Structures are given as C-alpha cells and as structure tokens.
Amino acid sequence: MSIGLSWQTTLFGDSPPGFDPSFAQVQRTSLDEYSWVDHLPGWLGGSDRVFTDLADALPWRQREVMMWDKRLPEPRLTHWWDGLDGSEAPMPLLLDIRDALTARYHRPFDSIGFNLYRDGRDSVAWHGDRERFTHEQPVVVIVSVGAARNFMLRRRGGGGGASRSFRIGHGDLLVMGGACQHDWEHCVPKVARADGPRLSIMFRHNLAGFSFPGLGARNVKA
C-alpha cells in the first residue's frame, strides 16, 4: 500500500536510532490505587528515521470495523508482527527494545503492533486492550514516533473522575500497567489539524497466535 506521507522532521530525529535501557528518566503517574502509567519523553532517539523506515517498509492494511451498523474502513492503517510465520522483525532495533522492556516489566513481550495515523482524521475510539481478558495485570507498551498526538485515558465507561491526557510522539515511551486495561479506557481522538503523521509501536505480551471469541488472531485494538 502506497501511503505517500510528507511531514516536518525534528532537529535530532534523524540521528542514529537508540534508546536508554536504564529507563533512568521514566516518570510514573498513578491513575488510582491500582492503575499506573509510565511516561518517558524522547526515550527513542533517532525516531524520525525509525518512523520513515517503518512507514515505507511495512505492508500496511486498512481493516473494516462495525460502526453505526455498517462495515466501514477503520480510520488508521495497521500491521501486526509476532514471528509465528517465520518472518523477521521489521527492524532489529525493535527486538532490542523488546528485550529491555521484558527485563524491566517482567512480561514476555511476544507481539508488536503498528498503527499509522496519517492525519487528524485518523483515530481510535475509547477502548481497553484485550490482554485484560487473559491477564490480571497486563502491561501494554507504546513507543510513539512521528508527530505528537493526544493520548487520552478515562475511567471505563466514562464515569467518575477527570480524564488524563499525554501528548506523545517523537520517540516518547508510554506504558500502561496495573489494572489500567480493566478499569480505564484510552483513545486517540480526531483533531481538526495534526502536525503530521504518527506511528504507534505497541509491545504486547502473550498475544501471539491467540484468538479472542469472534475475532481473528491478529484483529486486536491498540
């Protein structure tokens, strides 16, 4: 799929890609007694190069979803990798990141999802990731490259308490843990004008080859 993206790169975004395996600057936000978010701006250096390489190389597809009793194109492009078909990871750096995340969060990250938000019209609605169906305290990791977009969280169903918002892009790391997937929902809302495209790289654990009721093995939101 040709996506023909153009955007303004950042000053240091085209430096050689790399990350800090010590997570020395990570900041944890407690959403409530049981749920938390880790945030580390600019954790992945050279993020513009990572964005360009992945955006050009991945076999993007646009799924269909049910909205308003109709099957409509999902407002973003996606790709999913778990290596079960013998394919190599799209970028060796991603395996190094996966190993560092596994060592820090003690979860066997076995799948990497990619979501491409081409402009402000692309979005994802409020949801909780499906690890909550199989794990008591799942950890979902997002590395955001490309332009920054608002990533919002609210209590499940929208009731009680204020929502939280993180503006993530340009190599920022965001990790959701504890009971976050059970008790909270997250979204990337539409905007009238985005600064450019954003690519979300998601590290998930124990999803490889798993089929949820009524869904294909790789048809999972993130």
Side-chain angles (χ1 to χ4, degrees), residues 197-209:
R198 168 183 175 260
L199 199 164
S200 175
I201 307 168
M202 297 151 298
F203 294 83
R204 318 284 288 269
H205 61 89
N206 298 124
L207 279 180

Side-chain angles (χ1 to χ4, degrees), residues 6-177:
S6 62
W7 62 300
Q8 183 65 44
T9 58
T10 56
L11 181 60
F12 300 107
D14 199 38
S15 59
F19 63 96
D20 177 13
S22 74
F23 300 85
Q25 303 300 316
V26 71
Q27 300 175 353
R28 176 159 296 189
T29 298
S30 295
L31 301 175
D32 56 31
E33 184 179 358
Y34 306 106
S35 307
W36 52 265
V37 171
D38 279 355
H39 183 216
L40 206 170
W43 180 66
L44 175 63
S47 62
D48 289 350
R49 187 178 300 186
V50 172
F51 174 93
T52 299
D53 289 351
L54 290 175
D56 289 344
L58 293 179
W60 298 105
R61 68 188 183 102
Q62 188 168 24
R63 301 176 296 195
E64 290 188 341
V65 293
M66 290 297 299
M67 292 187 290
W68 306 294
D69 297 324
K70 297 180 181 179
R71 294 194 67 85
L72 299 172
E74 189 175 34
R76 58 183 178 155
L77 302 182
T78 63
H79 177 66
W80 190 263
W81 178 85
D82 55 29
L84 290 179
D85 59 359
S87 62
E88 296 184 355
M91 184 180 293
L93 174 67
L94 300 180
L95 298 182
D96 295 335
I97 291 175
R98 181 186 66 175
D99 292 344
L101 293 169
T102 295
R104 178 172 180 84
Y105 292 103
H106 309 292
R107 298 293 190 278
F109 294 101
D110 56 6
S111 307
I112 307 175
F114 304 86
N115 287 331
L116 181 59
Y117 300 84
R118 296 159 292 182
D119 53 37
R121 293 169 294 182
D122 279 355
S123 64
V124 63
W126 290 107
H127 69 282
D129 292 325
R130 289 182 170 84
E131 283 92 335
R132 71 185 189 275
F133 296 134
T134 55
H135 299 290
E136 184 177 355
Q137 293 190 329
V139 174
V140 176
V141 178
I142 298 171
V143 179
S144 183
V145 297
R149 289 280 295 270
N150 287 336
F151 183 92
M152 302 187 67
L153 297 108
R154 71 178 185 185
R155 285 199 173 276
R156 179 165 295 280
S163 63
R164 303 290 186 95
S165 181
F166 295 85
R167 189 163 179 81
I168 56 175
H170 307 299
D172 296 346
L173 173 74
L174 187 137
V175 183
M176 295 175 283

